[in-house]
Amino acid sequence: MPIEITPIGHIKTPYKEKFAIPRQPGLVTAAFGQIMFTQAFNSVDFIRGIEQFSHLWLVFQFHQTADKSTSPLVRPPRLGGNEKVGVFASRSTHRPNNLGISAVRLEKVSSISGQHCLIVSGMDLLDNTPIIDIKPYIPYSDSIADAAAGYAQDKPEELLAVRFSKSAQQQLTIYQHKYPHLNILIEQILSQDPRPAYHKTTTSDRLYGVALYDLNIQWRVAEHCCIVEQINQI
Ligand code: SAM
């Protein structure tokens, strides 16, 4: 029988497009987001006691890919994009019911003009992702020290050193008034080398763009170094 689910809210994040979002939470700790509750869940009672927990599980919908069909086999980027595994042996966005889970840090519980909001960090979610449920992260049960994780055992390495061109440095000083963690955010995102796997094997001077907040960050890769060329308002 189909199940009907109503989101409890949505999350506002710096990530305006899927490209360059980290593949799991905790990789980009300088990404801060706000969980905003819908009217039906905008009561302090729903979050009473939540500040005792440093981390939360978010259950959410991969809303931007929800209309795409799913296949039993997927190609995890960690396997270079060529090898296939079953969708249930992966954290692919393309999956039955389009549900995702992410453990994030709870930074602050906030309330502005009657709108309750949770400030979280380290999430791997697109801006406006619908949140379906929130649960406290419980270390004694959720953290399993000797767990085997096959092709995803280790945290991905930081692959690229990140440098800012002179003009990007000047632009940073302007935008950091509004976004104080912008330089670290850009560094953490780009050090993961978000280029598609098939671009990484060729040497090219290609200019990439990534949308963070209302900014377009333009960068290129040269000899294992990522150079941020420009930061401009969209
Ligand atoms: N931690 C989650 C999990 O395991 O369920 C997500 C893993 S999934 C590989 C992470 C990727 O999902 C991100 O890199 C981004 O490209 C994509 N993504 C994030 N939010 C999304 C959304 N609302 N709709 C579609 N794709 C999204």
Side-chain angles (χ1 to χ4, degrees):
M1 291 290 283
I3 301 169
E4 201 174 290
I5 285 178
T6 306
I8 58 159
H10 66 277
I11 185 165
K12 303 216 61 62
T13 81
Y15 303 119
K16 301 292 176 186
E17 58 181 337
K18 272 179 63 198
F19 178 57
I21 300 183
R23 299 217 178 99
Q24 290 300 335
L27 297 173
V28 174
T29 54
F32 290 83
Q34 290 162 281
I35 298 172
M36 316 295 285
F37 295 95
T38 61
Q39 210 182 350
F41 296 95
N42 188 34
S43 155
V44 76
D45 284 344
F46 284 105
I47 51 173
R48 188 178 296 177
I50 204 165
E51 68 287 345
Q52 300 165 57
F53 297 91
S54 66
H55 290 78
L56 303 173
W57 282 110
L58 305 182
V59 182
F60 60 90
Q61 186 201 28
F62 289 112
H63 72 303
Q64 207 182 72
T65 45
D67 58 344
K68 301 276 188 312
S69 60
T70 52
S71 135
L73 291 170
V74 296
R75 299 169 195 264
R78 286 296 290 272
L79 289 174
N82 290 323
E83 247 181 274
K84 292 180 181 173
V85 300
V87 68
F88 298 135
S90 85
R91 304 289 284 256
S92 170
T93 55
H94 303 281
R95 57 195 314 116
N97 298 315
N98 311 297
L99 292 181
I101 49 164
S102 289
V104 298
R105 175 180 282 277
L106 174 62
E107 298 282 346
K108 196 176 163 196
V109 181
S110 173
S111 172
I112 304 162
S113 321
Q115 168 71 62
H116 299 294
C117 131
L118 302 178
I119 315 281
V120 296
S121 65
M123 66 280 149
D124 52 348
L125 304 181
L126 193 61
D127 190 32
N128 280 326
T129 294
I131 302 295
I132 290 165
D133 200 359
I134 299 171
K135 298 177 191 232
Y137 177 91
I138 298 178
Y140 81 80
S141 171
D142 295 346
S143 166
I144 302 167
D146 62 349
Y151 65 87
Q153 187 71 44
D154 297 315
K155 188 175 169 178
E157 284 169 34
E158 288 179 7
L159 298 167
L160 300 173
V162 181
R163 311 256 179 277
F164 292 85
S165 72
K166 274 224 168 83
S167 52
Q169 275 174 27
Q170 285 164 358
Q171 290 152 345
L172 253 186
T173 56
I174 300 168
Y175 297 121
Q176 277 196 288
H177 290 294
K178 195 168 170 193
Y179 308 116
H181 302 95
L182 186 61
N183 60 334
I184 307 169
L185 179 66
I186 295 172
E187 277 175 24
Q188 289 184 342
I189 292 170
L190 297 183
S191 67
Q192 302 282 324
D193 193 354
R195 293 175 298 166
Y198 60 93
H199 282 194
K200 293 182 189 174
T201 48
T202 56
T203 40
S204 129
D205 211 19
R206 186 183 174 130
L207 193 63
Y208 295 88
V210 58
L212 295 176
Y213 302 111
D214 55 347
L215 303 172
N216 180 26
I217 319 297
Q218 289 190 296
W219 51 281
R220 66 176 87 247
V221 176
E223 289 168 15
H224 304 291
C225 184
C226 173
I227 298 139
V228 182
E229 300 285 7
Q230 295 285 333
I231 303 171
N232 294 309
Q233 203 130 24
I234 295 169

